[in-house]
Amino acid sequence: MSSKPIVSLSVGELVNQTARGGDIHFRFSGRSNAVDGIKGHQQVQKSRPADYLAEYKVVQNYETEICTLKLSGRADGIQLVESGLLVEEIKTTRAEIVRIPAQVQSMHFAQARIYAAMLLQTQAQSGLDDKLREKLQQSLAADDPIIVRLCYLDLADKQQHLIDESWTCQDLQSYLDGLINQYMTFYALSVDWAQQRNQSIVEASFPYQSFRPGQRDMAVSVYKTLRKESQLVMQAPTGIGKTIASLFPAIKSMPELGYEKIFFLSAKTSGQSMARDAITDLKEAGIHLRDVTITAKDKTCFNPGSPCDPEYCEFARGYYDKLPEVLADSVTQDMTLDRSAVELLAREHQMCPFELALDLSLIADVVICDYNYVFDPAVYLRRYFEDVSRSKYLLLMDESHNLVERGRDMFSAEINKETVLELKKELKDEAPLVAKKLTSINTQFLTLIKPAKPLLEKDGGVLLEDLADTFTRALRGFCDAAETWLQANQSGATHAQFLNLYFDVLRFLRTAEDAGESHRYLLLRGAKGVYLKLFCLNPGPGLQDGFSRVHSSVCFSATLSPQPYFETLMGIHLDADWYEIPTPFPAQNLGVFVTSYIPTTYRRREDSIYDLVDSLAEIVRAKKGNYIAFFPSHAYLRTALEKFTERYPGMNTLQQSSIMNDEERLDFLNQFDDVDTEKLGFAVMGGVFGEGVDLKGSKLIGAIIVGVGLPQLSLERDLIRDYFDERVDSSEYGCTDGFDYAYQYPGMNRVLQTAGRVIRSETDLGIVCLIDHRFNESRYRQLFPASWQPQVMRNKNELAQSVKQFWSNIDADVSIKNDSNIHSSSERDSELN
């Protein structure tokens, strides 16, 4: 028996890695919905003779020097015709056949050629009945030609277009051998790299002199989870170094437990940056690793607004011809391929940076990316997660409390009426058929709006019982017409807007296909007019599908309580382990103050605005340093800032604006490097400065949190409340009140994340001031961290005195420690003398 490893490979993967060539062609990338594609295949297969075998499973082993390659797939159809064996590949399209590039056709043909070559071997013929197998072997022995057929089904007119190739057995076998040799050359380089990587991992130790408090416990828990191939949800305090405490055991597991690739997910660029920093430290400790960061296409595109087509973008031209050389050069190197490195490589070879990052991820040990590349049904990385049985991947999810709202967005969809109307007018002459389909959608909108107009004007939205089939048919009609038009039109002033609407409609239809009992159709009025929304109330079931795509997953954050809330809405497996690491930092290092005299509810903000700004001033005056006041909205922030500067014109203030680019955000944070001045920042709770910001030491000594962080009242939130209200007594959801799930828990999550900006290490000192009378209610108090020792303030004078006392006590403790250190040092000097 061979001791060589068995490497499983699908025919599709072999084609993608060896038979692709030429340009990137968006217009021929097959965006039609899956249902149309399946129906099209079935239509063709049913039109074939009775002896035609549809979806024939083909499996064949190929022995190589370093492994047994197990190649498998399903041929769309095979048949023994008069002239010999016929193998057919079926493709559905809305393009004119003559417009499909030869390179694309060749890739389509490749699958049928491979299946035909595999059927030359007796193992691949095992699914045939005896009579047919005997007939096939006679045909092959007679050296009858083998027909490889490509069938294009035009989804618009249902016409079949057949293209045949005639092959000899020898030529087919040579063709497949060439592809396998090409794949194995690359595979051998990958194996050599994996051996080098694994040896360095085995020999490496933790990259720092010692673990921080709590870090070792976290690392051990992560490794145990990976050994069990299970799921871990870990709440660990800010500042203990969760990133390295998860990455180190995960990387250690690669040689020991056989994990092939690590997916590190973070919703924010700051979290992704910390992952790269940790990997850099591991490399400096001697570990050989390759990491790739996948950046969103709209951020990294070299030709924003241009189609992904060789006629309009030089970076799409010849992409797949250049790719093998780039991968071959990279597969032997220890590389950190972040956004700038990928873009540099892409410009050097004149290639699309987004597609290059995706393809470079094939040779990466660690893939750093956003949540949607694993969980979003429209964009998850099918190259890895289509068949999870063949590979062993693990998932590390940073700041995973964000997955609830992100997941809700992933499983929701919307279409804006104004966009439909605008494009209809723009395309009236350029694309009359598309404009006609847009008119149909607009008519359906008007049908919905007419009876709902009073509620739209009064409440801003209305719940629909269901969506009429006529609306769905109008959307499908637009998609069909849009795909046909896109085959021939890839430019124009409206192209980008048109493409955005097309994807919105496509997403809406796909979401509707999978929508279940936790989805609702809404008609809403927003800043950009009326829009139709398919809203997901509970993203848990969809997110659970994402977790099932990997063998093991670790979710970590400083705020993952209460457990039933996150277990339900994140889709955590019922057998997952939950673990909480208590804060290792001294409780006396953080002063927590709760005001009972300032109401911040919407109706009472105006009355309490001066009490608020006076309290802000008292906190800043108590101790010179850097502070940030966090508000529930930009409007409230602007009002407070205006009154504050009017009342205290001499104080230094900073403002987070509603729109800030990366440079402006960095400039805001850089202001806190100066720790010798008095500074008060005004920011929004839950925004870019409320999470993932690491202002250590004296860079930030106080966070003032205004309000309990509740999401804005809305129809969507009320529907979430009502949905879980109906399940209050259900042990399945473990909720006590729908209000908790819709408003309170998301709000307190923002509060606690924001409070975590202050204490980032065992030596950090600071205060958190919670400004809202509701923080004194038990329903909020029970969500406070166990380490907090909150003091209730009844007026601004009491607040001022208590904050001053806190800092005075801190100064006294520091003085005592310094005196003790001096005394100990003197004793040591005396002994030495």
Side-chain angles (χ1 to χ4, degrees), residues 358-507:
L358 293 177
D359 286 321
L360 285 169
S361 71
L362 291 167
I363 62 169
D365 306 304
V366 184
V367 179
I368 302 170
C369 58
D370 186 80
Y371 299 161
N372 61 338
Y373 293 106
V374 174
F375 293 99
D376 193 316
V379 299
Y380 76 86
L381 298 173
R382 284 170 171 76
R383 64 183 71 195
Y384 300 116
F385 305 127
E386 200 75 87
D387 184 355
V388 298
S389 63
R390 288 201 306 273
S391 300
K392 193 173 181 180
Y393 303 136
L394 69 88
L395 177 66
L396 303 177
M397 181 171 296
D398 180 35
E399 302 293 359
S400 44
H401 62 276
N402 286 308
L403 187 60
V404 173
E405 294 305 326
R406 284 294 308 280
R408 191 167 274 135
D409 289 341
M410 290 175 198
F411 301 108
S412 299
E414 58 187 54
I415 303 168
N416 185 274
K417 179 185 180 299
E418 293 306 311
T419 304
V420 170
L421 201 57
E422 287 172 17
L423 272 173
K424 186 199 83 167
K425 295 174 182 176
E426 293 285 346
L427 296 171
K428 184 174 61 175
D429 298 325
E430 186 180 357
L433 179 59
V434 174
K436 183 179 178 181
K437 300 299 182 181
L438 289 170
T439 299
S440 298
I441 296 176
N442 189 58
T443 301
Q444 293 299 317
F445 263 114
L446 294 174
T447 303
L448 290 179
I449 291 170
K450 189 175 180 180
K453 197 169 184 179
L455 282 174
L456 282 173
E457 292 177 354
K458 177 176 174 285
D459 301 329
V462 61
L463 172 65
L464 305 175
E465 287 188 13
D466 204 348
L467 191 66
D469 289 342
T470 51
F471 207 128
T472 303
R473 284 198 297 271
L475 295 176
R476 289 201 183 282
F478 164 73
C479 276
D480 292 348
E483 287 178 17
T484 301
W485 187 78
L486 281 168
Q487 306 300 333
N489 300 274
Q490 288 288 300
S491 64
T494 61
H495 183 268
Q497 188 182 10
F498 177 81
L499 212 53
N500 288 337
L501 178 62
Y502 167 66
F503 281 127
D504 286 345
V505 174
L506 200 60
R507 185 183 189 93

Side-chain angles (χ1 to χ4, degrees), residues 548-675:
S548 298
R549 294 180 183 124
V550 295
H551 279 68
S552 191
S553 56
V554 178
C555 305
F556 53 94
S557 169
T559 53
L560 286 171
S561 295
Q563 179 177 327
Y565 170 75
F566 285 103
E567 186 173 59
T568 300
L569 296 183
M570 284 175 60
I572 301 299
H573 295 303
L574 293 178
D575 60 353
D577 294 319
W578 289 74
Y579 187 52
E580 180 176 359
I581 296 178
T583 179
F585 308 137
Q588 62 269 24
N589 285 11
L590 178 68
V592 180
F593 304 93
V594 181
T595 67
S596 62
Y597 60 94
I598 303 177
T600 68
T601 54
Y602 187 77
R603 292 179 180 177
R604 300 182 66 185
R605 286 176 186 175
E606 188 176 347
D607 296 336
S608 63
I609 191 68
Y610 286 110
D611 279 338
L612 170 62
V613 298
D614 288 345
S615 297
L616 296 179
E618 293 293 350
I619 291 169
V620 177
R621 284 170 170 171
K623 170 78 171 179
K624 185 173 74 172
N626 294 333
Y627 300 81
I628 301 180
F630 293 92
F631 293 81
S633 70
H634 283 282
Y636 196 3
L637 180 155
R638 287 190 293 268
T639 301
L641 179 59
E642 178 187 340
K643 301 301 181 185
F644 186 88
T645 52
E646 170 190 302
R647 210 167 176 94
Y648 303 98
M651 282 197 178
N652 186 16
T653 59
L654 300 170
Q655 178 187 0
Q656 174 189 351
S657 61
S658 55
I659 300 176
M660 299 178 81
N661 58 35
D662 291 344
E663 187 177 337
E664 290 168 332
R665 292 173 187 172
L666 186 61
D667 183 60
F668 182 94
L669 292 174
N670 286 342
Q671 301 295 313
F672 291 85
D673 289 343
D674 180 4
V675 299

Side-chain angles (χ1 to χ4, degrees), residues 517-529:
E517 53 87 27
S518 65
H519 279 81
R520 300 291 184 271
Y521 288 102
L522 311 177
L523 191 65
L524 302 169
R525 189 184 66 188
K528 296 181 180 179

Side-chain angles (χ1 to χ4, degrees), residues 171-183:
D171 287 345
L172 268 178
Q173 192 60 60
S174 297
Y175 175 79
L176 179 55
D177 288 345
L179 296 183
I180 290 175
N181 289 338
Q182 186 179 336
Y183 175 82

Side-chain angles (χ1 to χ4, degrees), residues 167-235:
W167 288 75
T168 65
C169 294
Q170 184 177 349
D171 287 345
L172 268 178
Q173 192 60 60
S174 297
Y175 175 79
L176 179 55
D177 288 345
L179 296 183
I180 290 175
N181 289 338
Q182 186 179 336
Y183 175 82
M184 291 310 303
T185 299
F186 185 79
Y187 177 78
L189 292 173
S190 300
V191 169
D192 289 344
W193 166 260
Q195 290 173 345
Q196 179 186 351
R197 177 202 67 198
N198 289 347
Q199 185 62 37
S200 70
I201 291 172
V202 169
E203 295 172 355
S205 301
F206 192 63
Y208 311 125
Q209 287 186 348
S210 62
F211 287 91
R212 291 184 192 175
Q215 228 175 18
R216 181 183 290 276
D217 286 346
M218 180 172 174
V220 169
S221 298
V222 170
Y223 192 83
K224 286 180 178 178
T225 297
L226 301 182
R227 183 181 290 280
K228 293 191 300 180
E229 295 187 12
S230 60
Q231 187 175 30
L232 172 67
V233 185
M234 176 170 289
Q235 180 167 293

